[in-house]
């Protein structure tokens, strides 16, 4: 089965073609980061308009790279949520229109299920069951995964997601958008011993996260240094390092705890923050000591992309799932609402 995947949930337009026998045939991604950077974050109306401009040319590019025509498609999968409703509607309406014209099935896919399954596109795919850390600009969740659609929420952020916290800290440091990569670059030049920021909610039981207090501590530190006239270039780097270290340590502590609580030995880490080099290093070291293993998507599949949607959609389409005639766009959609395919 050849499945075209379409991702338009936020600020990346992603398209991919996945073959259930031969794997990923082609993928393409257009990022709107440069456009939104001027505003310090995503502007929903601009995002929707840009998806409209870019989606059909990207579909043609992917089909051309794979030497396929539209008539060679067996099904189409698209991101139905969660995300920005206008952006979701661009992908959903395009997918339904194409599927109807080709008389093939179409399926709306949960965006976070796509992220969760993205490591399965790699040469060494993870096997069920496992614990998943889904960590991005909109989500920070720990999930016990028994199989496709069999998800149990272990813990989540009670306020900001980790990626959102990175963006806000970067704004305080005047580093621009998106914040995660900018802070990681600056942190490379920071002194890890100058500041120690709090590791929120790690001194109590449970697997929930909170990053709002860390954000406040960062702002307080910046203001104090500014008042002292000591907020120089090195101070910016030292703060970035302390912030990154605090987020990474918090995520690693919670992941270790989740593996201990479930007794599982496999951890999937997915979402934009999963590309953070320091996070991967710390997790790999921590899990090796526990004789456990972490699985990650390749870097270009950490952020939103069409390949993960094509893959996730293919798994459910092969089980006979598909949309009816209604276009599906669900801005808020808990991952735990999903169910295993009926077989």
């Amino acid at each position: 089965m050849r499945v075209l995947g379409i991702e338009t949930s936020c600020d990346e337009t992603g398209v991919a073609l996945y073959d259930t026998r031969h794997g990923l045939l082609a993928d393409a991604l257009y990022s709107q980061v440069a456009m939104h950077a001027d505003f310090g974050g995503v502007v929903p109306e601009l995002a929707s308009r840009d998806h409209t401009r870019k989606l059909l040319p990207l579909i043609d590019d992917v089909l051309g790279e794979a030497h396929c025509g539209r008539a060679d498609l067996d099904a189409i999968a698209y991101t139905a949520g969660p995300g920005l409703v206008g952006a979701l509607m661009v992908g959903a309406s395009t997918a339904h229109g194409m599927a109807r014209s080709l008389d093939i099935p179409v399926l709306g896919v949960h965006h976070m299920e796509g992220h969760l399954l993205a490591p399965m596109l790699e040469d060494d795919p993870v096997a069920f069951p496992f614990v998943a850390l889904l960590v991005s600009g909109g989500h920070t969740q720990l999930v016990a995964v028994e199989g496709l659609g069999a998800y149990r929420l272990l813990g989540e952020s009670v306020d900001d997601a980790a990626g959102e916290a990175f963006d806000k800290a970067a704004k305080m440091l005047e580093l621009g958008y998106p914040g995660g990569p900018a802070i990681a670059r600056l942190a490379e030049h920071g002194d890890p011993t100058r500041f120690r920021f709090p590791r929120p909610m790690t001194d109590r039981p449970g697997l929930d996260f909170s990053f709002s207090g860390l954000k406040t501590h960062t702002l307080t530190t910046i203001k104090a240094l500014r008042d002292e006239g000591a907020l120089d270039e090195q101070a910016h780097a030292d703060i970035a390092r302390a912030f990154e270290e605090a987020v990474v340590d918090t995520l690693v502590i919670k992941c270790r705890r989740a593996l201990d609580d479930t007794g599982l030995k496999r951890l999937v880490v997915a979402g934009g923050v999963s590309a953070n080099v320091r996070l991967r290093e710390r997790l790999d070291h921590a899990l090796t000591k526990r004789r456990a293993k972490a699985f990650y998507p390749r870097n270009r599949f950490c952020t939103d992309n069409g390949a993960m949607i094509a893959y996730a959609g293919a798994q459910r389409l092969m089980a006979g799932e598909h949309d009816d005639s209604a276009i599906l766009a669900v801005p808020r959609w808990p991952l735990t609402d999903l169910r295993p395919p009926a077989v």
Side-chain angles (χ1 to χ4, degrees):
M1 176 183 284
R2 286 183 174 177
V3 180
L4 183 73
I6 295 173
E7 157 60 28
T8 63
S9 65
C10 190
D11 59 347
E12 274 111 6
T13 311
V15 178
L17 184 60
Y18 180 81
D19 188 303
T20 54
R21 291 183 60 189
H22 303 290
L24 186 64
L25 301 181
D27 71 282
L29 183 71
Y30 177 80
S31 174
Q32 302 175 0
V33 163
M35 177 177 68
H36 296 295
D38 292 339
F39 303 94
V42 178
V43 181
E45 179 62 24
L46 295 180
S48 303
R49 292 179 182 181
D50 213 43
H51 287 310
T52 302
R53 285 191 290 266
K54 298 297 191 302
L55 182 53
L56 289 177
L58 279 181
I59 290 173
D60 290 339
D61 289 347
V62 165
L63 292 177
E65 182 182 342
H67 305 291
C68 291
R70 296 191 180 191
D72 297 314
L73 298 177
D74 297 304
I76 301 175
Y78 65 93
T79 300
L84 303 174
V85 65
L88 292 169
M89 283 297 297
V90 175
S93 57
T94 300
H96 269 263
M98 285 184 62
R100 184 170 297 183
S101 70
L102 297 169
D103 193 26
I104 58 176
V106 60
L107 178 67
V109 172
H110 194 290
H111 178 76
M112 297 312 293
E113 183 168 68
H115 276 303
L116 186 151
L117 297 176
M120 294 186 177
L121 289 162
E122 303 306 314
D123 294 334
D124 179 25
V126 63
F128 299 117
F130 55 82
V131 171
L133 171 66
L134 303 176
V135 58
S136 66
H139 298 82
T140 301
Q141 298 178 322
L142 279 164
V143 182
V145 180
E146 294 296 326
L148 180 65
Y151 309 133
R152 177 169 58 91
L153 183 65
L154 301 173
E156 62 184 340
S157 179
V158 298
D159 40 60
D160 292 348
E164 184 181 8
F166 269 113
D167 287 341
K168 290 179 178 179
K171 189 172 183 178
M172 297 176 202
L173 292 168
E174 300 179 343
L175 299 179
Y177 173 86
I183 283 187
R185 286 192 297 269
L186 185 58
E188 290 298 317
H189 307 287
D191 178 356
T193 65
R194 182 174 179 184
F195 301 110
R196 180 174 173 82
F197 286 6
R199 277 62 172 158
M201 296 182 71
T202 58
D203 58 349
R204 67 186 75 175
L207 294 170
D208 285 337
F209 302 86
S210 171
F211 294 105
S212 63
L214 176 59
K215 179 184 64 179
T216 301
H217 186 90
T218 303
L219 180 61
T220 301
T221 302
I222 291 171
K223 286 183 174 179
L225 289 171
R226 183 179 291 120
D227 291 344
E228 296 167 6
L231 189 61
D232 56 15
E233 185 176 338
Q234 186 59 49
H236 277 78
D238 296 341
I239 292 169
R241 181 63 178 265
F243 182 86
E244 184 185 46
E245 293 278 355
V247 173
V248 166
D249 279 355
T250 300
L251 294 174
V252 171
I253 289 167
K254 297 289 186 171
C255 285
R256 288 200 313 252
R257 192 176 294 173
L259 292 172
D260 290 344
D261 288 354
T262 60
L264 296 172
K265 295 293 185 181
R266 291 183 289 269
L267 175 72
V268 159
V269 188
V273 181
S274 70
N276 183 279
V277 172
R278 203 174 305 278
L279 175 62
R280 293 192 179 203
E281 290 174 348
R282 295 282 180 81
L283 278 173
D284 288 341
H285 177 72
L287 267 59
T288 297
K289 294 169 66 175
R290 280 172 161 70
R291 297 184 180 179
K293 184 175 181 180
F295 296 82
Y296 313 93
R298 69 196 76 170
N299 278 355
R300 79 172 192 271
F301 293 158
C302 290
T303 56
D304 298 347
N305 63 87
M308 69 182 192
I309 301 304
Y311 179 84
Q315 307 315 302
R316 290 186 174 272
L317 284 158
M318 286 192 296
E321 292 191 15
H322 59 81
D323 287 359
D324 55 24
S325 60
I327 293 175
L328 187 63
V330 188
R332 296 183 182 275
W333 188 5
L335 181 67
T336 50
D337 283 357
L338 298 181
R339 294 294 179 267
V343 293

